[in-house]
Amino acid sequence: MINIKFPDGAVRSYENGITPFQIAKGISEGLAKKVYASSIDGQVKDLTTPINKDASLKLHTWDDAEAKSTFWHSSAHLLAEAVEATLPGVKFWVGPAIDRGFYYDIDLGGKTISEEDLAQLEKKMDELAKNNSPFVRKEISKNDAIAYFSDKGDEYKLDLLSGLQDGEISFYTQGGFTDLCRGPHIPHTGLIKAVKLTSIAGAYWKGDEKNKQLTRIYGISFPNQKELDEHLQMLEEAKKRDHRKLGKELGIFTMDDDVGPGLPLWMPNGTIIIEELEKLAKETENAAGYKRVVTPHIAKESMYLTSGHLPYYQDSMYPPMELEGVKYYLKAMNCPHHHKIFSAENRSYRDLPLRLAEYGTCYRYEQSGELFGLMRVRCLHMNDAHIYCAKEDFAKEFRAVNDMYIKYFNIFGIDKYVMRLSLHDPAKLGQKYINEPELWIQTEEMVRQVLIESNIPYVEVQDEGAFYGPKIDVQIWSAIGREFTLATNQVDFAQGRRFGLEFTNNENQAETPLIIHRAPLGTHERFIGFLLEHYAGKFPLWLAPLQVKILPISDKFNPFAENLKEQLLSAGIRCELDDRSEKIGKKIRDTELQKVPYMFVIGEKEVNENVVSVRRQGKGDAGQFPVSEIITNLTSEIKNRQAS
Ligand SMILES: [Zn+2]
Ligand SMILES: [Zn+2]
């Protein structure tokens, strides 16, 4: 018998050699229908893997990322089977799961596939899926594997094989298709109930443009048609809400070739949003006892050697510039500058926790192929802060940081979020992770406790921590259900030592502080990109670049409108007057397109009674209000940062 430990801590005994699928079935038939993969001792494995020793086990249902990636990778194999059945003799490179879906890179040997052919391929995949073919794993010797693919004449798989060792090679077969693959896979093709092949692209072999161009077919699949339909609908909506499209239409940001790729220019409307976000951050952080600092955009090489960014992070930094024989780098992170502010004065336990905050500008080298609107850029403004604290204050500080995240999520109407807690692997201490076994265990446990106590949904992932401590990635979902990684929240017990940071503790001894790196609003670039999609460009009043548009019905009401505008501006409300000689219907339509939250329509009655007729963006007529009352209402809506 062997003991299996489940995520809730329960331990049960089973026959030696039992599989995760049999265990699921033993728990309930319903569960067995919903599992796609399993993690045995933290490694994702086939559900058919026999377990031969005591182990921890997690069964992955569709909600788990592991289930999706296993499902999608299996769908890539199904695609390959369909392509091979349709076009015999084609050759296959790799077919991984990606964030949303999968692709396969294929050498069609001179044949071509058009967008129209994709529908045929989808049909073939549906047909093959219905065969319920099991994905069968087979360990195979390197010689036998080479013989198989030599026979098939697939030089791409032979190239993959040349990099593998005998004893670590496996094949997976489903139906008539066999692939070199380490797995894992779902039990059988019949689980793939709905497939959509989304696009075709060219892709150079190994990403090198000197190599042959292969055909990449992208797709996505689901365990039922309903989820596929919802996904396609979401994509349709996402297209309408594309932050690059809205960013241009609403005058938020622009890119210019002469400035350079990945370097957005913030237009006046975008700048207003930036300033509102910074105002929110400053208010929140001031109330939480943070202190603001300002630091230069560059620093000497020596500082980045101390921090360890050089040479480890060099590929992500802009190349250095030289001045007076010294190399300077654009900063890729604010932390080292903040550490220098910490060490500029003698610190005692009375000064701690010290929380240094800055909307810091950083520059990172992202490959040009990776750049994407505001989501992947080379210049970013980060809602950064570093909290220096003694060990005994850590849990309290970390909890306060989490509370701040939740506060922001409430303000922005972010209902779905998950924190991904990345842990270390004790086997890799001293290599991938700083060799502080006790600190790792202590801080990981403290972080876990805080997450549990504050009722924050979270998942744990093994072996993905940062070099210097456990890392929490915050994932959020937009109003249309698209996932974004917002920011990370990190515990750091290495940088303090590297920089020789110390404080005098209450026993009069020198101690190194723990450091929390946190950025709840992420970067302006990514967060505003997210907000554009989330709100579909219809910002709540407090964030809207233009808050009120005054629309006189005819020219003769312009003087009243002009006076109203002055009153609104002096109350701190962003407003404009549309004094064109246009029909009121056109003025209203144009303002709707600009997504301005409020329209004040002014006619005879309004002027005579000193009132305004209010229209709300997307909602139409909201009634008449005396001027002073509407100003009070709007001021309070802005001050409270109400959702629209
Ligand atoms: Zn595979
Ligand atoms: Zn940092």
Side-chain angles (χ1 to χ4, degrees):
M1 298 296 275
I2 52 171
N3 291 320
I4 300 292
K5 188 176 173 203
F6 293 89
D8 63 358
V11 177
R12 278 174 240 163
S13 293
Y14 291 95
E15 292 283 340
N16 195 349
I18 192 158
T19 68
F21 188 72
Q22 289 164 332
I23 291 175
K25 228 171 149 165
I27 296 170
S28 82
E29 286 288 339
L31 178 62
K33 286 200 182 99
K34 288 195 302 189
V35 286
Y36 298 98
S38 62
S39 285
I40 303 172
D41 286 335
Q43 306 263 23
V44 189
K45 295 281 185 192
D46 294 336
L47 286 170
T48 48
T49 311
I51 310 174
N52 299 312
K53 59 176 178 61
D54 291 357
S56 71
L57 176 71
K58 184 157 199 261
L59 296 163
H60 296 300
T61 55
W62 185 248
D63 285 339
D64 293 351
E66 293 87 345
K68 288 194 182 78
S69 66
T70 307
F71 193 89
W72 286 332
H73 179 58
S74 300
S75 304
H77 280 225
L78 185 65
L79 166 63
E81 186 184 356
V83 173
E84 197 169 60
T86 318
L87 301 165
V90 297
K91 296 167 192 176
F92 297 97
W93 172 232
V94 291
I98 51 178
D99 257 11
R100 303 289 295 169
F102 58 88
Y103 68 77
Y104 218 122
D105 281 352
I106 308 167
D107 181 350
L108 296 171
K111 297 178 196 108
T112 52
I113 288 183
S114 66
E115 298 273 347
E116 292 80 70
D117 296 331
L118 293 185
Q120 285 306 111
L121 274 176
E122 271 168 26
K123 256 199 202 138
K124 188 75 194 167
M125 286 174 77
D126 286 337
E127 184 191 313
L128 293 170
K130 290 200 179 97
N131 292 341
N132 296 333
S133 310
F135 285 89
V136 181
R137 181 187 173 90
K138 182 179 159 196
E139 314 288 334
I140 188 163
S141 72
K142 187 162 178 173
N143 280 340
D144 287 352
I146 290 174
Y148 178 86
F149 284 109
S150 303
D151 219 32
K152 208 179 164 191
D154 191 331
E155 68 264 29
Y156 299 101
K157 295 294 173 184
L158 290 171
D159 183 88
L160 281 178
L161 274 168
S162 68
L164 296 176
Q165 303 290 329
D166 216 354
E168 60 170 25
I169 298 167
S170 55
F171 278 8
Y172 275 84
T173 302
Q174 98 274 6
F177 178 77
T178 294
D179 208 347
L180 168 67
C181 180
R182 90 169 74 86
H185 283 284
I186 57 175
H188 64 87
T189 58
L191 298 166
I192 303 169
K193 301 260 193 239
V195 176
K196 178 78 193 167
L197 295 178
T198 43
S199 63
I200 317 177
Y204 293 106
W205 184 42
K206 297 185 176 178
D208 185 341
E209 58 192 62
K210 288 191 220 88
N211 286 340
K212 185 164 182 178
Q213 197 170 46
L214 305 177
T215 302
R216 176 173 296 179
I217 303 178
Y218 284 99
I220 193 160
S221 56
F222 291 92
N224 58 61
Q225 186 65 36
K226 186 170 158 268
E227 288 221 30
L228 174 59
D229 292 343
E230 281 168 7
H231 175 74
L232 295 176
Q233 206 184 338
M234 184 268 280
L235 287 187
E236 216 27 62
E237 191 56 38
K239 225 183 268 172
K240 282 186 228 152
R241 295 174 179 230
D242 187 318
H243 80 274
R244 294 164 300 173
K245 174 175 161 279
L246 286 174
K248 191 177 160 66
E249 285 168 12
L250 301 176
I252 306 294
F253 74 100
T254 188
M255 299 279 190
D256 189 291
D257 223 24
D258 276 338
V259 177
L263 301 171
L265 298 168
W266 291 97
M267 313 274 280
N269 284 346
T271 306
I272 289 171
I273 299 174
I274 283 183
E275 284 176 352
E276 288 295 345
L277 292 175
E278 291 194 11
K279 198 163 122 196
L280 169 66
K282 282 175 193 169
E283 276 176 29
T284 311
E285 288 163 6
N286 288 345
Y290 286 60
K291 292 180 171 147
R292 303 205 78 77
V293 295
V294 175
T295 64
H297 293 204
I298 62 173
K300 274 163 63 180
E301 180 181 38
S302 53
M303 184 163 79
Y304 294 114
L305 288 169
T306 304
S307 70
H309 288 109
L310 292 177
Y312 302 109
Y313 198 70
Q314 187 155 22
D315 288 349
S316 306
M317 294 173 77
Y318 268 75
M321 53 195 128
E322 213 166 301
L323 187 72
E324 295 161 349
V326 178
K327 281 184 187 157
Y328 286 81
Y329 283 84
L330 279 169
K331 73 174 169 186
M333 295 176 163
N334 303 303
C335 345
H337 285 89
H338 291 184
H339 301 339
K340 290 294 186 186
I341 291 179
F342 181 95
S343 65
E345 292 176 5
N346 288 329
R347 308 284 177 186
S348 98
Y349 66 96
R350 282 194 195 84
D351 307 318
L352 267 49
L354 181 69
R355 311 173 190 91
L356 299 179
E358 176 178 20
Y359 245 108
T361 311
C362 299
Y363 300 86
R364 294 187 185 168
Y365 175 71
E366 297 273 0
Q367 294 195 353
S368 43
E370 302 283 309
L371 296 173
F372 177 73
L374 291 175
M375 290 297 158
R376 284 274 195 147
V377 289
R378 288 178 176 169
C379 171
L380 25 106
H381 300 83
M382 199 187 299
N383 172 220
D384 215 353
H386 294 93
I387 301 172
Y388 303 82
C389 65
K391 241 178 271 150
E392 52 273 23
D393 289 330
F394 173 81
K396 190 164 158 270
E397 287 302 306
F398 188 72
R399 185 174 188 137
V401 167
N402 279 333
D403 290 347
M404 200 180 278
Y405 275 88
I406 306 295
K407 178 193 151 129
Y408 289 145
F409 293 160
N410 286 334
I411 290 175
F412 294 103
I414 297 166
D415 305 325
K416 187 177 173 195
Y417 52 86
V418 165
M419 296 205 181
R420 246 174 91 88
L421 167 57
S422 299
L423 309 169
H424 79 299
D425 176 352
K428 295 179 186 165
L429 283 171
Q431 300 138 44
K432 189 173 170 190
Y433 303 108
I434 181 169
N435 196 6
E436 294 280 358
E438 268 163 43
L439 269 176
W440 275 104
I441 291 167
Q442 269 179 22
T443 50
E444 286 175 356
E445 186 48 31
M446 285 193 282
V447 169
R448 187 180 293 121
Q449 277 314 316
V450 171
L451 290 171
I452 293 170
E453 278 163 27
S454 29
N455 239 336
I456 292 174
Y458 79 102
V459 291
E460 292 193 13
V461 271
Q462 304 294 328
D463 194 18
E464 280 185 24
F467 171 69
Y468 47 68
K471 184 176 86 165
I472 300 97
D473 288 313
V474 184
Q475 282 157 306
I476 57 175
W477 278 260
S478 75
I480 54 168
R482 268 197 346 135
E483 184 184 339
F484 291 76
T485 299
L486 176 61
T488 56
N489 188 358
Q490 298 180 356
V491 188
D492 177 348
F493 38 82
Q495 289 278 309
R497 220 160 288 168
R498 290 191 82 112
F499 277 83
L501 305 187
E502 280 180 351
F503 67 97
T504 312
N505 67 19
N506 55 7
E507 279 153 18
N508 213 19
Q509 268 159 359
E511 193 178 317
T512 304
L514 280 178
I515 303 168
I516 300 172
H517 305 244
R518 43 108 283 173
L521 296 174
T523 64
H524 281 322
E525 287 71 16
R526 186 169 283 228
F527 196 58
I528 292 174
F530 164 82
L531 289 179
L532 278 164
E533 170 175 312
H534 186 57
Y535 292 128
K538 295 167 192 156
F539 289 99
L541 187 66
W542 70 277
L543 267 181
L546 182 58
Q547 295 170 318
V548 176
K549 193 109 173 196
I550 304 169
L551 312 175
I553 289 173
S554 97
D555 291 350
K556 62 178 176 198
F557 308 121
N558 283 354
F560 178 88
E562 195 66 61
N563 177 273
L564 177 62
K565 185 177 120 182
E566 294 307 319
Q567 291 182 61
L568 288 166
L569 287 175
S570 63
I573 297 167
R574 297 185 283 270
C575 74
E576 279 175 13
L577 167 59
D578 185 349
D579 55 7
R580 296 175 301 165
S581 307
E582 293 285 356
K583 292 244 163 55
I584 186 68
K586 176 158 176 53
K587 288 186 181 181
I588 290 175
R589 279 194 303 280
D590 289 351
T591 314
E592 285 279 351
L593 283 177
Q594 283 181 288
K595 307 192 197 308
V596 181
Y598 281 97
M599 283 166 257
F600 291 175
V601 180
I602 309 299
E604 186 87 50
K605 180 167 186 278
E606 285 77 13
V607 172
N608 289 339
E609 297 174 17
N610 197 29
V611 296
V612 293
S613 285
V614 176
R615 289 182 69 89
R616 197 76 165 88
Q617 147 79 26
K619 293 178 188 150
D621 191 2
Q624 285 182 340
F625 294 83
V627 170
S628 62
E629 187 183 327
I630 193 72
I631 290 179
T632 312
N633 292 353
L634 262 58
T635 308
S636 112
E637 187 179 337
I638 292 167
K639 186 165 168 282
N640 298 323
R641 298 193 170 96
Q642 265 163 251
S644 49

